[in-house]
Amino acid sequence: MLETVKYLMGWRGPSGFGSKSTAEQVTEGCADLSSVTAIITGATSGIGAETARVLAKRGARLVLPARNLKAAEDTKARIISECPDSHIIIMPLDLSSLNSVNNFVNHFHSRDLPLNLLINNAGKFAHEHAVSEDGIEMTFATNYLGHFLLTKLLLERMVETAKKTGIQGRIVNVTSGIHGWFSGDMMSYLSLISSNKSDYDATRAYALSKLANVFHTSELARRLQQMEANVTVNCVHPGVVRTRLTREREGLLTGYLVFFLGSKLLKTIPQAAATTCYVATHPKLLNVSSKFFCDCNEGYTSKMGCNSTEEAGLWAASELIISRGPKAAFDLIMNP
């Protein structure tokens, strides 16, 4: 109850920001970003588009991967109309396709660009059962596996950029508080819904993908520390906001719709983008890694979200899937 009251009042936490802070407000005190190159997935609408606009306003060069290139060009045009000096590059990317992720990274590397900031923001809620071209349930493929491979393939460039420039690299994974709704064996359920439509639960599948984002953050942070890389990774819960993604859920997620109507905790898009922008740019977060942020302050994951054994297991399974395919990976995992 106390947390709800704080939220509604816009209470400012230790960071000096809170639930009512906007992306522009949290970036006012950051350094000029003209020396920063950022990749932002899912920047054609909603939180991603606002994140892109604000970072461009602060001077960052943006690379916007997109499945819908026209929507990306529209986003670029809107940003340039406000910030004429913006440097924005559009590249094709379908996160549900591992081949597309590989092609995007090859295209990015061919431009010989540095990379300081990677914001894994794109999200999908597949309320109808669907499977990606690689044989993985579509929500998991888009929200987690595509970002896992994207980050893996870009990591060397991020480490190199940080070493050459002295600017600490940052990776931001956009997750959700809904990650705490998943319970059970992750890979067993993923294997089941990747092959069996009758067992599909859209809400549970979404929660699974968001828990995977949390695990990815923690395990990647541990590996970066072992590498002594000058790159951090954190995850953020943007809050509940009326975007295209949430509109797709309405009428399908009864419990979540009740939450919308009953709690009145909806954020505006500028407020929802604030935590991402804060974690991506604020000087207070130098050397801060492996944390979960909500309302621009450090928060807490679910109990399962702190399970280091599950984190390592998901990482190993993900490596198997992208290298040997889901069938071989599932067979090995289920029959070790």
Side-chain angles (χ1 to χ4, degrees):
M1 182 62 180
L2 178 60
E3 292 303 312
T4 301
V5 172
K6 286 181 177 179
Y7 182 100
L8 290 170
M9 292 178 64
W11 177 81
R12 294 174 180 265
S15 69
F17 304 109
S19 61
K20 304 300 182 185
S21 300
T22 67
E24 286 202 23
Q25 289 170 344
V26 303
T27 56
E28 282 175 355
C30 72
D32 174 68
L33 301 181
S34 58
S35 58
V36 168
T37 298
I39 292 177
I40 308 170
T41 68
T44 58
S45 64
I47 296 168
E50 176 66 1
T51 299
R53 183 189 72 83
V54 172
L55 294 187
K57 186 173 183 177
R58 304 304 179 204
R61 173 169 51 189
L62 304 182
V63 177
L64 305 184
R67 186 168 54 88
N68 184 334
L69 295 180
K70 182 183 183 305
E73 292 291 350
D74 289 344
T75 298
K76 177 179 178 178
R78 286 193 298 271
I79 294 173
I80 290 177
S81 70
E82 180 181 349
C83 309
D85 295 331
S86 299
H87 185 181
I88 302 172
I89 302 168
I90 306 296
M91 295 186 191
L93 172 63
D94 178 354
L95 279 162
S96 72
S97 163
L98 298 180
N99 184 58
S100 179
V101 174
N102 276 292
N103 288 340
F104 167 81
V105 174
N106 288 336
H107 186 189
F108 176 79
H109 286 328
S110 72
R111 289 176 172 261
D112 198 27
L113 294 169
L115 183 57
N116 308 89
L117 179 58
L118 173 62
I119 300 179
N120 291 321
N121 164 82
K124 182 180 183 64
F125 184 91
H127 47 79
E128 297 293 337
H129 181 262
V131 177
S132 74
E133 65 182 44
D134 301 294
I136 299 293
E137 186 278 320
M138 188 63 77
T139 299
F140 189 89
T142 304
N143 294 358
Y144 167 71
L145 193 64
H147 282 125
F148 175 85
L149 179 59
L150 180 68
T151 305
K152 175 185 173 69
L153 297 178
L154 291 172
L155 196 59
E156 184 178 350
R157 178 60 54 89
M158 291 198 74
V159 173
E160 288 175 354
T161 300
K163 195 169 185 178
K164 288 179 181 178
T165 64
I167 301 172
Q168 188 168 76
R170 296 189 185 187
I171 300 168
V172 181
N173 289 332
V174 178
T175 181
S176 169
I178 292 175
H179 79 271
W181 293 15
F182 184 85
S183 60
D185 185 278
M186 296 182 71
M187 298 313 299
S188 293
Y189 184 62
L190 178 61
S191 175
L192 191 66
I193 62 175
S194 293
S195 59
N196 194 337
K197 180 178 180 179
S198 63
D199 292 295
Y200 184 69
D201 179 321
T203 307
R204 194 176 183 213
Y206 184 75
L208 170 65
S209 72
K210 296 289 106 176
L211 178 60
N213 294 146
V214 172
F215 283 163
H216 180 216
T217 301
S218 298
E219 182 64 16
L220 179 57
R222 186 184 67 79
R223 291 168 180 257
L224 286 167
Q225 185 177 36
Q226 287 181 338
M227 293 165 58
E228 298 184 346
N230 189 23
V231 178
T232 64
V233 55
N234 293 287
C235 59
V236 303
H237 166 52
V240 183
V241 59
R242 186 176 177 80
T243 63
R244 178 171 53 82
L245 182 62
T246 57
R247 287 195 296 273
E248 288 173 1
R249 295 182 188 135
E250 292 180 14
L252 297 161
L253 290 179
T254 304
Y256 208 30
L257 182 56
V258 169
F259 175 73
F260 282 164
L261 299 176
S263 65
K264 299 181 181 179
L265 298 182
L266 286 172
K267 286 185 174 184
T268 66
I269 288 175
Q271 290 169 347
T275 304
T276 298
C277 289
Y278 173 74
V279 174
T281 67
H282 206 280
K284 281 186 178 180
L285 297 187
L286 186 69
N287 299 323
V288 174
S289 196
S290 192
K291 302 298 183 183
F292 174 86
F293 287 86
C294 57
D295 299 333
C296 302
N297 287 277
E298 188 177 336
Y300 301 94
T301 64
S302 66
K303 184 177 180 181
M304 187 172 178
C306 301
N307 190 318
S308 59
T309 302
E310 292 285 346
E311 291 167 7
L314 176 64
W315 188 285
S318 303
E319 291 279 14
L320 277 172
I321 292 171
I322 63 176
S323 62
R324 298 177 56 182
K327 187 179 185 306
F330 291 148
D331 287 347
L332 187 60
I333 292 163
M334 301 305 169
N335 304 290

PDB file of all heavy atoms in Angstrom, residues 24-58:
ATOM      1  N   GLU A  24      13.116  13.478 -20.426  1.00  0.00           N
ATOM      2  CA  GLU A  24      13.863  14.728 -20.588  1.00  0.00           C
ATOM      3  C   GLU A  24      14.413  15.202 -19.248  1.00  0.00           C
ATOM      4  O   GLU A  24      15.553  15.677 -19.167  1.00  0.00           O
ATOM      5  CB  GLU A  24      12.971  15.806 -21.218  1.00  0.00           C
ATOM      6  CG  GLU A  24      12.715  15.582 -22.685  1.00  0.00           C
ATOM      7  CD  GLU A  24      12.318  16.864 -23.416  1.00  0.00           C
ATOM      8  OE1 GLU A  24      12.658  17.960 -22.922  1.00  0.00           O
ATOM      9  OE2 GLU A  24      11.686  16.763 -24.471  1.00  0.00           O
ATOM     10  N   GLN A  25      13.628  15.093 -18.196  1.00  0.00           N
ATOM     11  CA  GLN A  25      14.066  15.561 -16.881  1.00  0.00           C
ATOM     12  C   GLN A  25      15.268  14.765 -16.366  1.00  0.00           C
ATOM     13  O   GLN A  25      16.215  15.343 -15.838  1.00  0.00           O
ATOM     14  CB  GLN A  25      12.910  15.465 -15.884  1.00  0.00           C
ATOM     15  CG  GLN A  25      11.811  16.481 -16.126  1.00  0.00           C
ATOM     16  CD  GLN A  25      10.567  16.215 -15.300  1.00  0.00           C
ATOM     17  OE1 GLN A  25      10.377  15.124 -14.754  1.00  0.00           O
ATOM     18  NE2 GLN A  25       9.697  17.219 -15.201  1.00  0.00           N
ATOM     19  N   VAL A  26      15.251  13.453 -16.542  1.00  0.00           N
ATOM     20  CA  VAL A  26      16.335  12.641 -15.978  1.00  0.00           C
ATOM     21  C   VAL A  26      17.634  12.778 -16.758  1.00  0.00           C
ATOM     22  O   VAL A  26      18.697  12.402 -16.259  1.00  0.00           O
ATOM     23  CB  VAL A  26      15.942  11.153 -15.863  1.00  0.00           C
ATOM     24  CG1 VAL A  26      14.684  10.982 -15.030  1.00  0.00           C
ATOM     25  CG2 VAL A  26      15.774  10.494 -17.235  1.00  0.00           C
ATOM     26  N   THR A  27      17.561  13.305 -17.992  1.00  0.00           N
ATOM     27  CA  THR A  27      18.769  13.468 -18.792  1.00  0.00           C
ATOM     28  C   THR A  27      19.295  14.905 -18.797  1.00  0.00           C
ATOM     29  O   THR A  27      20.306  15.191 -19.443  1.00  0.00           O
ATOM     30  CB  THR A  27      18.530  13.036 -20.249  1.00  0.00           C
ATOM     31  OG1 THR A  27      17.430  13.782 -20.794  1.00  0.00           O
ATOM     32  CG2 THR A  27      18.220  11.549 -20.340  1.00  0.00           C
ATOM     33  N   GLU A  28      18.624  15.790 -18.090  1.00  0.00           N
ATOM     34  CA  GLU A  28      19.059  17.192 -18.093  1.00  0.00           C
ATOM     35  C   GLU A  28      20.469  17.360 -17.531  1.00  0.00           C
ATOM     36  O   GLU A  28      21.237  18.207 -17.976  1.00  0.00           O
ATOM     37  CB  GLU A  28      18.070  18.045 -17.291  1.00  0.00           C
ATOM     38  CG  GLU A  28      16.795  18.364 -18.063  1.00  0.00           C
ATOM     39  CD  GLU A  28      15.779  19.094 -17.216  1.00  0.00           C
ATOM     40  OE1 GLU A  28      16.024  19.265 -16.000  1.00  0.00           O
ATOM     41  OE2 GLU A  28      14.720  19.487 -17.753  1.00  0.00           O
ATOM     42  N   GLY A  29      20.817  16.536 -16.538  1.00  0.00           N
ATOM     43  CA  GLY A  29      22.129  16.682 -15.904  1.00  0.00           C
ATOM     44  C   GLY A  29      23.212  15.807 -16.496  1.00  0.00           C
ATOM     45  O   GLY A  29      24.347  15.808 -16.011  1.00  0.00           O
ATOM     46  N   CYS A  30      22.897  15.055 -17.555  1.00  0.00           N
ATOM     47  CA  CYS A  30      23.920  14.171 -18.126  1.00  0.00           C
ATOM     48  C   CYS A  30      24.848  14.975 -19.026  1.00  0.00           C
ATOM     49  O   CYS A  30      24.520  16.063 -19.493  1.00  0.00           O
ATOM     50  CB  CYS A  30      23.276  13.026 -18.905  1.00  0.00           C
ATOM     51  SG  CYS A  30      22.533  13.502 -20.470  1.00  0.00           S
ATOM     52  N   ALA A  31      26.004  14.420 -19.255  1.00  0.00           N
ATOM     53  CA  ALA A  31      26.972  15.084 -20.128  1.00  0.00           C
ATOM     54  C   ALA A  31      26.444  15.100 -21.560  1.00  0.00           C
ATOM     55  O   ALA A  31      25.556  14.330 -21.926  1.00  0.00           O
ATOM     56  CB  ALA A  31      28.307  14.348 -20.068  1.00  0.00           C
ATOM     57  N   ASP A  32      27.006  15.977 -22.383  1.00  0.00           N
ATOM     58  CA  ASP A  32      26.663  16.000 -23.793  1.00  0.00           C
ATOM     59  C   ASP A  32      26.959  14.632 -24.398  1.00  0.00           C
ATOM     60  O   ASP A  32      28.018  14.046 -24.166  1.00  0.00           O
ATOM     61  CB  ASP A  32      27.489  17.081 -24.499  1.00  0.00           C
ATOM     62  CG  ASP A  32      27.267  17.050 -25.997  1.00  0.00           C
ATOM     63  OD1 ASP A  32      26.158  17.374 -26.430  1.00  0.00           O
ATOM     64  OD2 ASP A  32      28.217  16.689 -26.719  1.00  0.00           O
ATOM     65  N   LEU A  33      26.015  14.098 -25.157  1.00  0.00           N
ATOM     66  CA  LEU A  33      26.150  12.745 -25.689  1.00  0.00           C
ATOM     67  C   LEU A  33      26.639  12.707 -27.134  1.00  0.00           C
ATOM     68  O   LEU A  33      26.506  11.685 -27.801  1.00  0.00           O
ATOM     69  CB  LEU A  33      24.804  12.016 -25.584  1.00  0.00           C
ATOM     70  CG  LEU A  33      24.202  11.858 -24.181  1.00  0.00           C
ATOM     71  CD1 LEU A  33      22.886  11.086 -24.249  1.00  0.00           C
ATOM     72  CD2 LEU A  33      25.176  11.158 -23.248  1.00  0.00           C
ATOM     73  N   SER A  34      27.217  13.788 -27.604  1.00  0.00           N
ATOM     74  CA  SER A  34      27.638  13.851 -29.005  1.00  0.00           C
ATOM     75  C   SER A  34      28.742  12.841 -29.345  1.00  0.00           C
ATOM     76  O   SER A  34      28.937  12.517 -30.519  1.00  0.00           O
ATOM     77  CB  SER A  34      28.095  15.260 -29.363  1.00  0.00           C
ATOM     78  OG  SER A  34      29.147  15.680 -28.521  1.00  0.00           O
ATOM     79  N   SER A  35      29.429  12.339 -28.332  1.00  0.00           N
ATOM     80  CA  SER A  35      30.468  11.340 -28.583  1.00  0.00           C
ATOM     81  C   SER A  35      29.949   9.913 -28.372  1.00  0.00           C
ATOM     82  O   SER A  35      30.732   8.956 -28.393  1.00  0.00           O
ATOM     83  CB  SER A  35      31.658  11.574 -27.647  1.00  0.00           C
ATOM     84  OG  SER A  35      31.258  11.522 -26.293  1.00  0.00           O
ATOM     85  N   VAL A  36      28.641   9.775 -28.197  1.00  0.00           N
ATOM     86  CA  VAL A  36      28.030   8.474 -27.905  1.00  0.00           C
ATOM     87  C   VAL A  36      27.249   7.963 -29.108  1.00  0.00           C
ATOM     88  O   VAL A  36      26.460   8.685 -29.710  1.00  0.00           O
ATOM     89  CB  VAL A  36      27.097   8.574 -26.677  1.00  0.00           C
ATOM     90  CG1 VAL A  36      26.226   7.331 -26.538  1.00  0.00           C
ATOM     91  CG2 VAL A  36      27.908   8.806 -25.412  1.00  0.00           C
ATOM     92  N   THR A  37      27.489   6.694 -29.464  1.00  0.00           N
ATOM     93  CA  THR A  37      26.690   6.011 -30.478  1.00  0.00           C
ATOM     94  C   THR A  37      25.825   4.976 -29.783  1.00  0.00           C
ATOM     95  O   THR A  37      26.321   4.162 -29.007  1.00  0.00           O
ATOM     96  CB  THR A  37      27.580   5.316 -31.524  1.00  0.00           C
ATOM     97  OG1 THR A  37      28.370   6.305 -32.194  1.00  0.00           O
ATOM     98  CG2 THR A  37      26.736   4.563 -32.549  1.00  0.00           C
ATOM     99  N   ALA A  38      24.524   5.021 -30.056  1.00  0.00           N
ATOM    100  CA  ALA A  38      23.575   4.140 -29.372  1.00  0.00           C
ATOM    101  C   ALA A  38      22.742   3.345 -30.364  1.00  0.00           C
ATOM    102  O   ALA A  38      22.292   3.876 -31.377  1.00  0.00           O
ATOM    103  CB  ALA A  38      22.651   4.969 -28.472  1.00  0.00           C
ATOM    104  N   ILE A  39      22.540   2.071 -30.061  1.00  0.00           N
ATOM    105  CA  ILE A  39      21.584   1.240 -30.783  1.00  0.00           C
ATOM    106  C   ILE A  39      20.370   1.081 -29.878  1.00  0.00           C
ATOM    107  O   ILE A  39      20.499   0.707 -28.701  1.00  0.00           O
ATOM    108  CB  ILE A  39      22.169  -0.140 -31.129  1.00  0.00           C
ATOM    109  CG1 ILE A  39      23.286  -0.014 -32.171  1.00  0.00           C
ATOM    110  CG2 ILE A  39      21.087  -1.086 -31.635  1.00  0.00           C
ATOM    111  CD1 ILE A  39      23.964  -1.333 -32.508  1.00  0.00           C
ATOM    112  N   ILE A  40      19.189   1.359 -30.418  1.00  0.00           N
ATOM    113  CA  ILE A  40      17.951   1.228 -29.657  1.00  0.00           C
ATOM    114  C   ILE A  40      16.993   0.354 -30.452  1.00  0.00           C
ATOM    115  O   ILE A  40      16.545   0.736 -31.537  1.00  0.00           O
ATOM    116  CB  ILE A  40      17.279   2.598 -29.397  1.00  0.00           C
ATOM    117  CG1 ILE A  40      18.265   3.588 -28.790  1.00  0.00           C
ATOM    118  CG2 ILE A  40      16.054   2.429 -28.497  1.00  0.00           C
ATOM    119  CD1 ILE A  40      17.732   5.021 -28.737  1.00  0.00           C
ATOM    120  N   THR A  41      16.665  -0.821 -29.941  1.00  0.00           N
ATOM    121  CA  THR A  41      15.682  -1.658 -30.620  1.00  0.00           C
ATOM    122  C   THR A  41      14.282  -1.198 -30.235  1.00  0.00           C
ATOM    123  O   THR A  41      14.056  -0.622 -29.180  1.00  0.00           O
ATOM    124  CB  THR A  41      15.859  -3.147 -30.274  1.00  0.00           C
ATOM    125  OG1 THR A  41      15.514  -3.371 -28.897  1.00  0.00           O
ATOM    126  CG2 THR A  41      17.287  -3.609 -30.525  1.00  0.00           C
ATOM    127  N   GLY A  42      13.330  -1.444 -31.133  1.00  0.00           N
ATOM    128  CA  GLY A  42      11.945  -1.086 -30.845  1.00  0.00           C
ATOM    129  C   GLY A  42      11.706   0.404 -30.738  1.00  0.00           C
ATOM    130  O   GLY A  42      10.892   0.853 -29.933  1.00  0.00           O
ATOM    131  N   ALA A  43      12.385   1.173 -31.565  1.00  0.00           N
ATOM    132  CA  ALA A  43      12.306   2.637 -31.464  1.00  0.00           C
ATOM    133  C   ALA A  43      11.299   3.252 -32.423  1.00  0.00           C
ATOM    134  O   ALA A  43      11.289   4.463 -32.622  1.00  0.00           O
ATOM    135  CB  ALA A  43      13.684   3.248 -31.700  1.00  0.00           C
ATOM    136  N   THR A  44      10.432   2.443 -33.023  1.00  0.00           N
ATOM    137  CA  THR A  44       9.482   2.996 -33.979  1.00  0.00           C
ATOM    138  C   THR A  44       8.204   3.502 -33.328  1.00  0.00           C
ATOM    139  O   THR A  44       7.390   4.163 -33.979  1.00  0.00           O
ATOM    140  CB  THR A  44       9.109   1.949 -35.049  1.00  0.00           C
ATOM    141  OG1 THR A  44       8.571   0.787 -34.395  1.00  0.00           O
ATOM    142  CG2 THR A  44      10.327   1.563 -35.868  1.00  0.00           C
ATOM    143  N   SER A  45       8.006   3.208 -32.052  1.00  0.00           N
ATOM    144  CA  SER A  45       6.806   3.672 -31.361  1.00  0.00           C
ATOM    145  C   SER A  45       7.024   3.632 -29.860  1.00  0.00           C
ATOM    146  O   SER A  45       7.997   3.064 -29.374  1.00  0.00           O
ATOM    147  CB  SER A  45       5.588   2.801 -31.723  1.00  0.00           C
ATOM    148  OG  SER A  45       5.778   1.468 -31.266  1.00  0.00           O
ATOM    149  N   GLY A  46       6.099   4.249 -29.116  1.00  0.00           N
ATOM    150  CA  GLY A  46       6.049   4.127 -27.674  1.00  0.00           C
ATOM    151  C   GLY A  46       7.311   4.535 -26.949  1.00  0.00           C
ATOM    152  O   GLY A  46       7.948   5.560 -27.253  1.00  0.00           O
ATOM    153  N   ILE A  47       7.695   3.720 -25.979  1.00  0.00           N
ATOM    154  CA  ILE A  47       8.833   4.012 -25.111  1.00  0.00           C
ATOM    155  C   ILE A  47      10.122   4.112 -25.908  1.00  0.00           C
ATOM    156  O   ILE A  47      10.957   4.989 -25.670  1.00  0.00           O
ATOM    157  CB  ILE A  47       8.953   2.930 -24.015  1.00  0.00           C
ATOM    158  CG1 ILE A  47       7.717   2.952 -23.110  1.00  0.00           C
ATOM    159  CG2 ILE A  47      10.219   3.126 -23.188  1.00  0.00           C
ATOM    160  CD1 ILE A  47       7.614   1.757 -22.185  1.00  0.00           C
ATOM    161  N   GLY A  48      10.302   3.221 -26.878  1.00  0.00           N
ATOM    162  CA  GLY A  48      11.522   3.244 -27.677  1.00  0.00           C
ATOM    163  C   GLY A  48      11.663   4.518 -28.490  1.00  0.00           C
ATOM    164  O   GLY A  48      12.754   5.084 -28.588  1.00  0.00           O
ATOM    165  N   ALA A  49      10.563   4.987 -29.066  1.00  0.00           N
ATOM    166  CA  ALA A  49      10.601   6.211 -29.855  1.00  0.00           C
ATOM    167  C   ALA A  49      10.919   7.418 -28.977  1.00  0.00           C
ATOM    168  O   ALA A  49      11.679   8.310 -29.386  1.00  0.00           O
ATOM    169  CB  ALA A  49       9.265   6.421 -30.569  1.00  0.00           C
ATOM    170  N   GLU A  50      10.354   7.461 -27.787  1.00  0.00           N
ATOM    171  CA  GLU A  50      10.635   8.565 -26.873  1.00  0.00           C
ATOM    172  C   GLU A  50      12.084   8.513 -26.382  1.00  0.00           C
ATOM    173  O   GLU A  50      12.756   9.546 -26.276  1.00  0.00           O
ATOM    174  CB  GLU A  50       9.680   8.528 -25.680  1.00  0.00           C
ATOM    175  CG  GLU A  50       9.928   9.574 -24.603  1.00  0.00           C
ATOM    176  CD  GLU A  50       9.686  11.010 -25.043  1.00  0.00           C
ATOM    177  OE1 GLU A  50       9.293  11.238 -26.209  1.00  0.00           O
ATOM    178  OE2 GLU A  50       9.893  11.926 -24.217  1.00  0.00           O
ATOM    179  N   THR A  51      12.578   7.313 -26.105  1.00  0.00           N
ATOM    180  CA  THR A  51      13.980   7.148 -25.727  1.00  0.00           C
ATOM    181  C   THR A  51      14.892   7.670 -26.821  1.00  0.00           C
ATOM    182  O   THR A  51      15.855   8.409 -26.568  1.00  0.00           O
ATOM    183  CB  THR A  51      14.284   5.668 -25.443  1.00  0.00           C
ATOM    184  OG1 THR A  51      13.464   5.199 -24.362  1.00  0.00           O
ATOM    185  CG2 THR A  51      15.756   5.461 -25.082  1.00  0.00           C
ATOM    186  N   ALA A  52      14.593   7.313 -28.066  1.00  0.00           N
ATOM    187  CA  ALA A  52      15.400   7.772 -29.202  1.00  0.00           C
ATOM    188  C   ALA A  52      15.348   9.295 -29.324  1.00  0.00           C
ATOM    189  O   ALA A  52      16.381   9.948 -29.544  1.00  0.00           O
ATOM    190  CB  ALA A  52      14.902   7.110 -30.486  1.00  0.00           C
ATOM    191  N   ARG A  53      14.172   9.856 -29.193  1.00  0.00           N
ATOM    192  CA  ARG A  53      14.023  11.324 -29.323  1.00  0.00           C
ATOM    193  C   ARG A  53      14.847  12.059 -28.279  1.00  0.00           C
ATOM    194  O   ARG A  53      15.573  13.019 -28.597  1.00  0.00           O
ATOM    195  CB  ARG A  53      12.547  11.714 -29.171  1.00  0.00           C
ATOM    196  CG  ARG A  53      12.276  13.203 -29.365  1.00  0.00           C
ATOM    197  CD  ARG A  53      10.852  13.569 -28.995  1.00  0.00           C
ATOM    198  NE  ARG A  53      10.634  13.538 -27.556  1.00  0.00           N
ATOM    199  CZ  ARG A  53      10.942  14.543 -26.733  1.00  0.00           C
ATOM    200  NH1 ARG A  53      11.500  15.657 -27.200  1.00  0.00           N
ATOM    201  NH2 ARG A  53      10.690  14.450 -25.445  1.00  0.00           N
ATOM    202  N   VAL A  54      14.768  11.602 -27.046  1.00  0.00           N
ATOM    203  CA  VAL A  54      15.471  12.298 -25.963  1.00  0.00           C
ATOM    204  C   VAL A  54      16.979  12.134 -26.090  1.00  0.00           C
ATOM    205  O   VAL A  54      17.738  13.096 -25.890  1.00  0.00           O
ATOM    206  CB  VAL A  54      14.965  11.799 -24.592  1.00  0.00           C
ATOM    207  CG1 VAL A  54      15.824  12.354 -23.458  1.00  0.00           C
ATOM    208  CG2 VAL A  54      13.508  12.216 -24.395  1.00  0.00           C
ATOM    209  N   LEU A  55      17.442  10.934 -26.438  1.00  0.00           N
ATOM    210  CA  LEU A  55      18.893  10.747 -26.599  1.00  0.00           C
ATOM    211  C   LEU A  55      19.423  11.563 -27.779  1.00  0.00           C
ATOM    212  O   LEU A  55      20.530  12.106 -27.714  1.00  0.00           O
ATOM    213  CB  LEU A  55      19.227   9.266 -26.770  1.00  0.00           C
ATOM    214  CG  LEU A  55      18.953   8.372 -25.559  1.00  0.00           C
ATOM    215  CD1 LEU A  55      19.493   6.972 -25.806  1.00  0.00           C
ATOM    216  CD2 LEU A  55      19.543   8.942 -24.278  1.00  0.00           C
ATOM    217  N   ALA A  56      18.637  11.659 -28.842  1.00  0.00           N
ATOM    218  CA  ALA A  56      19.041  12.503 -29.976  1.00  0.00           C
ATOM    219  C   ALA A  56      19.092  13.965 -29.554  1.00  0.00           C
ATOM    220  O   ALA A  56      19.994  14.714 -29.950  1.00  0.00           O
ATOM    221  CB  ALA A  56      18.069  12.320 -31.136  1.00  0.00           C
ATOM    222  N   LYS A  57      18.139  14.377 -28.751  1.00  0.00           N
ATOM    223  CA  LYS A  57      18.115  15.759 -28.265  1.00  0.00           C
ATOM    224  C   LYS A  57      19.356  16.073 -27.436  1.00  0.00           C
ATOM    225  O   LYS A  57      19.851  17.206 -27.438  1.00  0.00           O
ATOM    226  CB  LYS A  57      16.858  15.980 -27.425  1.00  0.00           C
ATOM    227  CG  LYS A  57      16.649  17.410 -26.975  1.00  0.00           C
ATOM    228  CD  LYS A  57      15.296  17.583 -26.299  1.00  0.00           C
ATOM    229  CE  LYS A  57      15.069  19.046 -25.916  1.00  0.00           C
ATOM    230  NZ  LYS A  57      13.740  19.263 -25.311  1.00  0.00           N
ATOM    231  N   ARG A  58      19.891  15.054 -26.748  1.00  0.00           N
ATOM    232  CA  ARG A  58      21.102  15.236 -25.945  1.00  0.00           C
ATOM    233  C   ARG A  58      22.373  15.048 -26.768  1.00  0.00           C
ATOM    234  O   ARG A  58      23.478  15.109 -26.247  1.00  0.00           O
ATOM    235  CB  ARG A  58      21.112  14.270 -24.755  1.00  0.00           C
ATOM    236  CG  ARG A  58      19.888  14.360 -23.853  1.00  0.00           C
ATOM    237  CD  ARG A  58      19.667  15.761 -23.319  1.00  0.00           C
ATOM    238  NE  ARG A  58      18.482  15.840 -22.470  1.00  0.00           N
ATOM    239  CZ  ARG A  58      17.781  16.934 -22.237  1.00  0.00           C
ATOM    240  NH1 ARG A  58      18.129  18.067 -22.822  1.00  0.00           N
ATOM    241  NH2 ARG A  58      16.721  16.920 -21.457  1.00  0.00           N
TER     242      ARG A  58
END
